[in-house]
Amino acid sequence: MASQQAKKQVSRLPHMTQAAQEEKRRQLAYKELVQKRKPKPRYLRNVLVAFVVGGAIAALGQLVLGFLMSRGLDLNGASAPTLAVMILVGVIATGLGVYDELGEFAGAGAAVPITGFANTIVAAAMDFKREGWVLGMGAKMFIIAGPVIVYGTLAGVAVAFIKFMTSP
Amino acid sequence: MAAKKVGKSTIRFTSPPIIAGTGTIVGPVEGKGPLASDFDVVLPDHAYGERTPERSETKILEQAARIAIERAKIEKSMVDYYIAGDLLNQIISASYSARQLAIPYLGIYGACSTCAVSLALAGMVIDGGFANYVLVACSSHYQTAERQYRYPVELNIQRKPTSQYTVTGAGAALVASSGAGPKVTWATTGKVMDLGAKDQSDMGGAMAPAAADTLLTHFADTGRGPDDYDLILTGDLASFGSEMLKELVRDNGVELDDNYRDCGLMLFDTKVQHVGAGGSGCACSAVVTFGHVLKEMEKGTYRNVLLVATGALMSPLSFQQGESIPGVAHAVVIEA
C-alpha cells in the first residue's frame, strides 16, 4: 500500500537496513492515509462562532469599562478594574462548570479573552485542590497558565528593550 | 511442548473457562446512551458520593467485582485470583479495590485493552489448572483520565472530530473452571505496533494498526475468517479508528462487514451525545462486552463473538518528550 510519495521519501534514506526501510515505508504510507481521511474540524463554523462569542465577551468588557468611566474614572484608571471584573466573571463561570462548555462551543472565542485565562487557572486549581492547598493547588494552579506568564513576561522585556535601544 | 498454542500467537483453551457472572457499572453520560438498560448500576453523577474522582473509580471497580461474585453464586473466599487493571498511574484503582476485596491480586496494565488481557490471562490460569475461580475487572473514569492524560476537567477546550470520550464505568467477570455460561475459547495476544502516530487527539487512528495486526494474526492462526463470527468487536477505535482498521485489513484481503462493530460507538449515541468520535477507556470494552454482548448471547442473538480490545500505550511524559503512540490489541473469542 506504500504510495509513490512514501517510496520516494524512503529512497532518500540509504543508510537504513532493508527491514528498517520497509518499516519506515509502512509508517509513511499509514501517515498519508490518516492525513487524507482524518475528519477536519469545521473551520468556517469554528471561526464564526469564535468571532461572535469572543466579540460578545469583549463587548461585555466594554460595557463594564463604560460604566466605570461614567462613574468618574478616566480611561487609565478604569482599565485595571475592568480586567478585574472580567477575570471575576471567568472565575465564577468556571466554578459553576459553565466555562468549559462555552470553550467546547466557542473554541478560541472563549480561550483568547482574559476570561479564558482566568479559566485556565481556576480549572487547574479546582482539579489539584484535592491534593492539598500547598502541594496540590498552590504548586499546580499555573500548570496551564504558567507558560503564558513566563513567555508573556519575556516578550514584554524584549519589546521594552528594543524600544529602549531604538528611541532617541 | 506448548500443546495449547496454535500458530504464531494464539491459544486454544482445551477446557474453556466459563464466564459465570458479571458486574457492570457506568457513569451518567453512558447511562443516557442506547445500552443503558444492560448495566447493573448507572451512576447519578461522576462523584458517586466520594471526595475525589479517583476514590469514585475505585469504588465502582470494587462494586462491579462484588456484583460479579454475587451473580456467579459463590463466596468471595472461593476466588483464587483477582486480575485487574485501570488507566491511572501505578494502577491505583485496581490495587485499591484489591485492598478492599482481599483476594490474591495480580495487577495488570494494558491501557484500554485490559479487559481482553485479563480474560486471556484468566483463561490461561484456569485452563492451566492453577485456579477454579478467577475474578477479572477493569475500570476507567472520565474525570480521572482527563486530568491524568489531558487537561483539568473544567478547562475550556474544543474537542477535535477524532477526540474520544473516556468512559466512566467498571466491568467485572467471574471466570470459572466449570459450570454454565459463555466460554472463552481462544485468545490471541497482540504485539505492540507503532506506525508513528503522534496526534494525541486521535487514539483510534494510533491503535488501528495494532487491531489490524492482531485480527489478521488471529485469522491466520485459527484458519477462521470474519464470516465465522456473529460479531467482531473492537474495544475503542471509535469512528475514525474503525474506518482505518477496515482500510488496513482490506489491504490484506479481509473485508469487515455488518458483523463488525466498535464498543466506543455502541455505548453512545454519537450524533446526539457530545463524545467526539466515540468512547474510550478500559471500561469501554468491559461494560459493552460484559453488560450488553453477554446478555445478547444469552438471548441467542450472537453465538460466537471475537473481542479485539485495543490500547494506546503512551503516557503524558512520553508524549511531551515527542515519542509516538504505540498501540496494542488482544483478541479473545467468547462462545455461547
Side-chain angles (χ1 to χ4, degrees), chain A residues 22-130:
Chain A
E22 183 53 42
E23 181 60 26
K24 196 77 199 166
R25 199 171 286 142
R26 280 180 69 196
Q27 286 193 5
L28 286 168
Y30 186 63
K31 205 170 161 189
E32 226 172 89
L33 178 71
V34 167
Q35 268 166 2
K36 202 165 67 189
R37 294 290 191 79
K38 193 179 279 186
K40 300 273 176 297
R42 292 179 292 165
Y43 289 117
L44 186 65
R45 178 257 170 219
N46 289 353
V47 167
L48 287 175
V49 173
F51 178 78
V52 171
V53 173
I57 294 173
L60 181 66
Q62 194 65 38
L63 280 177
V64 174
L65 185 75
F67 172 75
L68 290 172
M69 287 175 72
S70 76
R71 309 292 287 191
L73 285 170
D74 64 0
L75 183 60
N76 262 340
S79 296
T82 301
L83 289 180
V85 169
M86 294 312 287
I87 287 170
L88 189 66
V89 168
V91 167
I92 292 171
T94 304
L96 294 175
V98 182
Y99 209 87
D100 61 324
E101 282 168 33
L102 185 70
E104 175 71 58
F105 173 70
V112 173
I114 199 162
T115 46
F117 186 67
N119 166 263
T120 63
I121 298 164
V122 177
M126 285 167 73
D127 257 26
F128 290 105
K129 191 174 94 55
R130 301 172 191 120

Side-chain angles (χ1 to χ4, degrees), chain B:
Chain B
M1 193 187 70
K4 292 168 190 179
K5 196 181 160 192
V6 183
K8 215 165 76 182
S9 51
T10 301
I11 289 169
R12 177 175 205 166
F13 296 116
T14 43
S15 38
I18 314 287
I19 300 177
T22 59
T24 48
I25 298 178
V26 296
V29 181
E30 296 73 17
K32 291 194 179 73
L35 305 183
S37 60
D38 287 331
F39 305 121
D40 297 314
V41 179
V42 175
L43 303 185
D45 53 45
H46 280 108
Y48 200 27
E50 292 295 324
R51 179 161 59 79
T52 70
E54 286 77 12
R55 285 177 68 101
S56 154
E57 185 176 339
T58 302
K59 185 171 167 180
I60 57 174
L61 183 54
E62 185 198 334
Q63 196 176 340
R66 286 185 193 275
I67 295 172
I69 297 171
E70 198 186 296
R71 292 279 154 79
K73 298 190 178 69
I74 62 163
E75 292 299 316
K76 186 163 74 75
S77 58
M78 293 159 73
V79 183
D80 300 299
Y81 294 104
Y82 175 48
I83 302 178
D86 62 276
L87 288 177
L88 303 185
N89 288 340
Q90 289 80 38
I91 51 168
I92 50 171
S93 312
S95 300
Y96 279 60
S97 71
R99 178 179 69 180
Q100 302 307 118
L101 291 167
I103 301 169
Y105 161 64
L106 297 165
I108 57 170
Y109 184 82
C112 310
S113 71
T114 303
C115 169
V117 181
S118 61
L119 269 183
L121 288 173
M124 293 180 204
V125 171
I126 285 174
D127 195 27
F130 301 104
N132 287 318
Y133 297 105
V134 177
L135 178 62
V136 300
C138 57
S139 66
S140 54
H141 192 292
Y142 170 71
Q143 293 187 344
T144 62
E146 208 53 26
R147 59 182 301 214
Q148 174 165 320
Y149 288 94
R150 285 174 278 270
Y151 303 105
V153 174
E154 294 295 338
L155 191 70
N156 73 90
I157 287 288
Q158 197 164 39
R159 279 203 185 81
K160 301 248 176 70
T162 49
S163 301
Q164 292 174 236
Y165 178 90
T166 306
V167 170
T168 297
L174 195 289
V175 188
S177 57
S178 60
K183 300 182 283 286
V184 181
T185 49
W186 303 74
T188 302
T189 307
K191 58 178 197 276
V192 175
M193 296 282 291
D194 190 340
L195 289 188
K198 286 192 173 174
D199 183 357
Q200 213 189 5
S201 62
D202 174 25
M203 290 296 140
M207 299 186 293
D213 185 69
T214 301
L215 204 55
L216 294 169
T217 305
H218 177 79
F219 290 149
D221 286 353
T222 58
R224 294 180 170 196
D227 298 335
D228 292 316
Y229 293 103
D230 297 334
L231 179 68
I232 297 172
L233 201 58
T234 48
D236 56 352
L237 291 179
S239 55
F240 181 61
S242 303
E243 195 191 319
M244 287 296 99
L245 170 66
K246 285 186 192 171
E247 194 72 30
L248 288 170
V249 296
R250 191 175 294 140
D251 283 337
N252 291 275
V254 174
E255 203 63 46
L256 291 176
D257 295 318
D258 294 343
N259 62 343
Y260 165 64
R261 299 189 73 181
D262 183 74
C263 297
L265 291 171
M266 293 166 74
L267 192 51
F268 299 104
D269 186 345
T270 48
K271 284 200 179 69
V272 185
Q273 296 182 289
H274 294 291
V275 293
S280 69
C282 296
C284 188
S285 54
V287 297
V288 172
T289 306
F290 298 154
H292 174 68
V293 173
L294 291 185
K295 279 200 180 79
E296 290 298 317
M297 290 182 85
E298 211 172 305
K299 285 186 212 158
T301 318
Y302 310 121
R303 290 198 47 79
N304 58 352
V305 175
L306 173 63
L307 167 69
V308 184
T310 44
L313 300 175
M314 85 302 169
S315 84
L317 186 90
S318 69
F319 174 72
Q320 283 175 346
Q321 293 180 348
E323 301 289 341
S324 53
I325 302 165
V328 73
H330 302 287
V332 288
V333 176
I334 304 172
E335 289 181 43

